[in-house]
Amino acid sequence: MKTFRNIFYFVFVITFCNAQLFEDYTVYGGLSGVNITTSDFTNFHVSDWEQFGLDGLEGRVAVPLGDNDIAGPNLNVLVGAYSPLLNRLDGFAEAQVGVGDVSYVAVFLGVDFKVMDGASFSLGLTPKFGYSSAQADFGAIELLPGKTPPVVLSEGTFNVGDSLTMDMSGVALGFGLTPRIQLTDEIGLTSFIGFQQSITADPAIKAGDIEIPMSSNGVVKSDGSSVQAGLEPTANSTGFTWQFGITYDISL
């Protein structure tokens, strides 16, 4: 959750600075939908078999990644703000948040170039660039039956009760059309229809305070063996995306 708080802080700092620079800006909120594609979302174990073998002295933890696959359409909460930069050009910052066993967060900065700019309707071409993160939270660590704590790996040591998470983060790109309708002097509607693509970095497991790469010898198959799992999990936002929200104009 600390990562998510930092992301929100980043978005709203940019929004605040934007409000100080320009006399007029618009905040908006609503819903967004994006398709998530995953790979190697498979259950696996983390074991200190290198230190203690595969008998009762071994520390072994199950990681139920396969039970938390988020592939498919995902609905997110949308918040953001935009302000005029130049004639027919707005700049904006926004965040998309989906919360579940695997939490999805995306933050974008971008511009909206208005190819149509009427008093009550505008249509813009909208490229955006940002950061996306899919974080799986598996709760407190519990050892498998018959195993002995703590789990001692070359990367460090973790124990029963420590948190167990996995983070899959990377850059994200989007491009599409942004129609907007002004209903009153202050309230309007905004939407976005387009394409989104994210590219995640190498995933890592975090057990307590230590980070365990998926290539670690301690990341093994869930069959009780010492065979390296051979997994590279990814969670990317890829393909068609949409947004719909309500806008509110603010003049300083």
Side-chain angles (χ1 to χ4, degrees):
M1 293 303 295
K2 184 177 180 181
T3 300
F4 298 160
R5 289 197 298 269
N6 290 341
I7 289 171
F8 282 124
Y9 177 77
F10 172 74
V11 171
F12 286 113
V13 163
I14 289 178
T15 301
F16 175 78
C17 292
N18 195 44
Q20 297 303 306
L21 183 60
F22 301 100
E23 293 183 356
D24 300 309
Y25 69 105
T26 302
V27 296
Y28 58 93
L31 298 174
S32 69
V34 65
N35 189 64
I36 305 295
T37 60
T38 62
S39 64
D40 279 353
F41 263 56
T42 302
N43 294 347
F44 61 91
H45 290 175
V46 177
S47 166
D48 59 10
W49 65 271
E50 287 186 294
Q51 299 281 347
F52 301 103
L54 296 175
D55 57 19
L57 294 178
E58 174 197 16
R60 181 178 284 250
V61 171
V63 183
L65 184 63
D67 297 338
N68 294 276
D69 198 337
I70 58 171
N74 279 254
L75 187 65
N76 308 310
V77 176
L78 171 72
V79 293
Y82 62 88
S83 181
L85 294 176
L86 300 170
N87 184 33
R88 291 179 175 264
L89 186 69
D90 292 344
F92 68 88
E94 71 179 24
Q96 306 168 21
V97 183
V99 180
D101 292 330
V102 178
S103 298
Y104 172 78
V105 172
V107 176
F108 289 97
L109 299 176
V111 294
D112 178 37
F113 177 71
K114 298 176 182 177
V115 295
M116 297 177 62
D117 190 17
S120 60
F121 177 78
S122 67
L123 178 66
L125 295 175
T126 308
K128 51 187 175 181
F129 172 82
Y131 167 92
S132 69
S133 174
Q135 186 174 70
D137 186 351
F138 303 113
I141 289 171
E142 296 181 6
L143 260 65
L144 290 170
K147 302 303 180 180
T148 303
V151 181
V152 183
L153 306 176
S154 58
E155 292 83 5
T157 300
F158 61 91
N159 212 330
V160 173
D162 290 344
S163 61
L164 183 65
T165 61
M166 174 177 281
D167 186 35
M168 293 154 281
S169 304
V171 298
L173 304 171
F175 184 80
L177 296 174
T178 300
R180 292 182 182 138
I181 298 174
Q182 197 68 28
L183 301 176
T184 69
D185 289 342
E186 296 178 333
I187 298 173
L189 301 175
T190 185
S191 60
F192 174 85
I193 302 172
F195 175 86
Q196 186 169 306
Q197 172 71 57
S198 65
I199 304 171
T200 57
D202 293 337
I205 312 158
K206 190 169 184 182
D209 294 327
I210 72 168
E211 191 171 280
I212 309 166
M214 291 299 296
S215 58
S216 169
N217 289 335
V219 177
V220 296
K221 292 187 175 182
S222 58
D223 57 4
S225 72
S226 60
V227 178
Q228 219 284 334
L231 301 175
E232 294 183 3
T234 61
N236 296 316
S237 55
T238 303
F240 174 77
T241 182
W242 61 267
Q243 298 175 3
F244 181 80
I246 299 174
T247 66
Y248 185 79
D249 296 342
I250 299 176
S251 297
L252 299 178

